[in-house]
Amino acid sequence: MNTTTPDLLVVGAGPAGLAAAVTAATHGARVLVVDEQPRPGGQIWRRPDPANPGPDPLSAPAYAAGRALLTRAAAHPGIDFAHHTTAWGVFATRTAPDGWAAPPGTPVPAGPRVAVHGPQGVEVLLPRALLLTAGAYDLPVPLPGWTLPGFLTVGGIQALLKGHRTLAGRRIVLAGAHPLLLIAAAQLVRAGADVAEVAFAQHLPAPADLIRAVAALPGNRAKVAEGLAALRTLRRAGVPVHTRTLLLRAEGEQHVAAAVLARVDQDWRPVPGSARTVGCDTVGTGYGFVPSTELARQAGCAAHWNGPAGGWVLDHDDAMRTSLPHIWAAGELTGVAGAEHAVATGRRAGLDIGRSLGLLESAVHDRELRPVEAELAATGRMAAFLDHTCAPHRAGLHALADDDTVLCRCEEITFGGVRRTLADNPGLGTADAVKLLTRAGMGPCQGRMCGPALLELLHRETGVPRETIGAFTARPPVKPLPVDALARAHDATTTAESPTDAGPVVR
Amino acid sequence: MSDHSPSGRPGQVTITLDGVPREVPGGRSLAAALIAIDEPVTRHDRAGRPRAAYCGMGVCFECTVTVDGAPLIRSCQEPVRAGMSVDTTGEEAR
Ligand code: FES
């Protein structure tokens, strides 16, 4: 295959991307999957370097579907992978006059130009169809001590374990609201870590009851079994699992030395006098996930605010088409809903892409659609249940930061700094305007870490609706890349600056 | 599990960390290798306070270091390689 002109370019080799790639390739599409990681699997199906021996982190029954999909994708002759490769810009797409792409199944016009940066430098890919499945990352929750070494997201702790066979620390406190905490805690225990405590902020009877309630939901047996197995592991190891308990702050000088936790009420407000200190060297937080929409928004795909589904999520129709012609989205970009739902949305997109590319007859498409729709319904029910019970209480989390708490980790902007700017500039009502005045969001992470907290801060201080405040505008390159690589890509974009010796990095 | 592992074992590789040769476990990311030897700090803020890997998945840019002279390398995305020179002190890492 000429990899610069695939039928379908998939950005992201996680559950959604792999499912779509296999579905489209099965019907004859030539598919290229680009991903930043060294191996396919995304965040959830990470595997270590084969040169680093040890048990397979995906050996648990809950990962059986993932293992099967990884094997199918790797074996399919119609699928190529480009790893260590970042897609940083999508160019030459036009918004349809009515703001929506063509209806499902419509043949795709000439595709977009997609700029990637990988081991070979910058390349411009010309797929006929583009599927964005960039996934999600842990919701960053700024609170005192969150910039200390040893303070990680639970996803980061899991990535170290699954992808690198590395324990993040010796004695670990996990806190948050998402069931991933249970799964990660059990994996850590099995790997030999001392998990000091798992703290859920929700006001629930007990995680076991929660999971029993979930058991009533059909079509999600593997997921429920995974949760129960994790609970059993934690109980056997004597790990305390608390509900109604919130992490207030982390303490330490050069490294995390303790976590301060407190009982909370229904609105996640600490009960006075209930704070206690747990000695530990590592803290991980897991309050849910933020869809990684920056590339899609840079391309021009419309997004809307959906707090329980992760924040800004992409507009999409039933066939996973975005608001732009020839761009589809699947998985967490369309609303955070877990790996199983991501697989289902990936299959759904793969079918529509296959038909739109003229590879899949309508009759075949419709026949294959039925089981996929059943899968979407089942996984969607589970996602809705989790949205309902595990969504972050944004006001409660916002209240954890004091004026000295770092909001923007890259530019070292504090909550107090932003509040002062707001006081000095009444009428500031968009995230971009605050970015220009404070520099929050201008660092290398380009607002991924401070964006959600800044939105909440602005919303609470000004009363302006989140939809009006908006997300930071996403511009290429959506992740930093070397200027010399960018210079070689001058035909990818007219916004690139001419090559100079100005510096090693553009932001 | 080979975290916090003693040196000299098979699978260890030697890197230069801020000018000092160090043995670290191989077959993982540079960030993971640094955490495994209890040297998690990748950069410092303007007040000199240490920072280290936070997201572990390439989105927060807290784990950036200079590798063989190239700045702003995300150590959580960079495989550890024998002989690589890692600098956590450079201005550009801030
Ligand atoms: S730890 Fe966040 S980018 Fe590496």
Side-chain angles (χ1 to χ4, degrees):
Chain A
M1 178 197 307
N2 178 353
T3 52
T4 61
T5 58
D7 294 322
L8 168 61
L9 174 65
V10 178
V11 176
L18 291 171
V22 167
T23 303
T26 300
H27 294 291
R30 298 167 310 126
V31 183
L32 175 65
V33 183
V34 300
D35 193 276
E36 286 196 330
Q37 307 293 328
R39 288 169 293 282
Q43 303 303 336
I44 178 135
W45 298 334
R46 259 173 201 277
R47 306 188 121 161
D49 186 330
N52 185 348
D56 184 348
L58 301 191
S59 60
Y63 295 117
R67 288 196 308 273
L69 190 51
L70 282 164
T71 305
R72 279 188 74 190
H76 203 293
I79 304 175
D80 278 345
F81 286 93
H83 287 292
H84 291 297
T85 300
T86 302
W88 55 266
V90 179
F91 304 97
T93 53
R94 278 159 293 123
T95 311
D98 61 354
W100 275 97
T106 310
V108 287
R113 289 186 288 163
V114 183
V116 302
H117 180 238
Q120 267 69 55
V122 166
E123 279 185 88
V124 178
L125 309 179
L126 302 163
R128 294 173 65 204
L130 172 62
L131 173 68
L132 301 175
T133 67
Y137 52 89
D138 297 79
L139 175 69
V141 176
L143 42 76
W146 81 306
T147 57
L148 283 170
F151 194 116
L152 292 99
T153 64
V154 67
I157 288 175
Q158 236 195 351
L160 284 167
L161 185 62
K162 282 201 233 173
H164 309 286
R165 298 193 189 284
T166 303
L167 290 178
R170 294 186 177 85
R171 188 169 158 82
I172 303 171
V173 169
L174 297 181
H178 196 275
L180 175 65
L181 291 179
L182 284 181
I183 309 301
Q187 288 165 341
L188 286 167
V189 164
R190 283 188 216 112
D194 172 10
V195 178
E197 175 165 345
V198 182
F200 284 90
Q202 294 96 322
H203 241 229
L204 292 170
D209 294 330
L210 168 66
I211 285 169
R212 258 179 237 121
V214 176
L217 295 169
N220 296 293
R221 224 153 254 177
K223 190 138 192 144
V224 176
E226 184 187 21
L228 288 171
L231 268 179
R232 273 196 301 277
T233 300
L234 296 178
R235 192 169 305 136
R236 263 202 306 273
V239 175
V241 178
H242 293 297
T243 55
R244 286 179 283 171
T245 302
L246 190 63
L247 173 74
L248 302 185
R249 62 181 181 273
E251 294 180 341
E253 287 297 317
Q254 300 291 305
H255 197 276
V256 168
V260 180
L261 302 137
R263 301 271 285 174
V264 287
D265 67 14
Q266 298 272 11
D267 293 322
W268 296 18
R269 283 181 304 223
V271 174
S274 70
R276 61 195 163 82
T277 302
V278 179
C280 60
D281 58 26
T282 304
V283 169
T285 60
Y287 289 99
F289 299 90
V290 181
S292 217
T293 57
E294 55 276 5
L295 184 64
R297 289 186 295 107
Q298 180 271 315
C301 298
H304 62 277
W305 174 260
N306 181 343
W312 301 106
V313 303
L314 296 188
D315 293 7
H316 66 94
D317 66 11
D318 285 349
M320 310 314 294
R321 290 178 169 239
T322 70
S323 61
L324 287 180
H326 46 63
I327 303 185
W328 284 253
E332 313 291 47
L333 297 190
T334 58
V336 172
E340 292 79 5
H341 194 65
V343 166
T345 58
R347 290 204 176 113
R348 182 68 190 87
L351 286 178
D352 189 54
I353 291 166
R355 184 169 62 165
S356 301
L357 292 173
L359 300 167
L360 186 54
E361 283 172 24
S362 279
V364 180
H365 170 276
D366 293 350
R367 194 168 64 235
E368 297 209 1
L369 186 57
R370 274 191 290 272
V372 173
E373 282 185 328
E375 209 179 320
L376 278 168
T379 55
R381 272 197 303 276
M382 182 66 155
F385 181 79
L386 292 180
D387 275 1
H388 178 67
T389 50
C390 303
H393 193 302
R394 290 175 194 265
L397 294 176
H398 173 72
L400 293 172
D402 58 30
D403 271 355
D404 292 335
T405 304
V406 169
L407 170 69
C408 170
R409 298 171 76 109
C410 300
E411 296 288 335
E412 299 171 39
I413 312 300
T414 61
F415 279 72
V418 174
R419 285 199 178 97
R420 281 192 293 280
T421 300
L422 292 178
D424 292 346
N425 299 275
L428 270 190
T430 68
D432 278 336
V434 174
K435 172 178 172 174
L436 286 173
L437 283 181
T438 64
R439 295 194 60 83
M442 279 194 194
C445 96
Q446 289 168 260
R448 289 175 185 88
M449 293 298 109
C450 65
L454 182 69
L455 179 70
E456 209 55 32
L457 175 60
L458 287 184
H459 174 56
R460 300 208 170 268
E461 298 276 327
T462 64
V464 176
R466 295 186 183 88
E467 290 75 7
T468 308
I469 294 166
F472 292 133
T473 302
R475 297 188 197 288
V478 299
K479 286 192 178 166
L481 78 155
V483 160
D484 61 342
L486 190 58
R488 287 194 293 272
H490 63 281
D491 64 338
T493 165
T494 53
T495 60
E497 292 182 4
S498 55
T500 64
D501 292 329
V505 168
V506 291
R507 289 184 174 178
Chain B
M1 206 47 52
S2 48
D3 61 305
H4 309 299
S5 49
S7 59
R9 292 185 351 180
Q12 301 281 109
V13 297
T14 301
I15 65 171
T16 305
L17 180 60
D18 295 329
V20 181
R22 298 291 301 265
E23 273 211 343
V24 300
R28 64 195 70 201
S29 70
L30 174 58
L34 294 178
I35 287 169
I37 60 163
D38 279 337
E39 297 280 4
V41 176
T42 48
R43 67 187 196 105
H44 291 81
D45 69 13
R46 282 190 283 270
R49 287 174 299 235
R51 298 284 189 87
Y54 168 67
C55 75
M57 53 182 77
V59 294
C60 75
F61 285 75
E62 283 285 24
C63 68
T64 52
V65 295
T66 299
V67 174
D68 297 332
L72 214 64
I73 301 294
R74 287 169 285 169
S75 58
C76 72
Q77 302 295 297
E78 188 72 7
V80 68
R81 292 182 308 272
M84 76 199 303
S85 174
V86 180
D87 182 23
T88 69
T89 63
E91 275 294 313
E92 62 284 308
R94 294 191 174 176

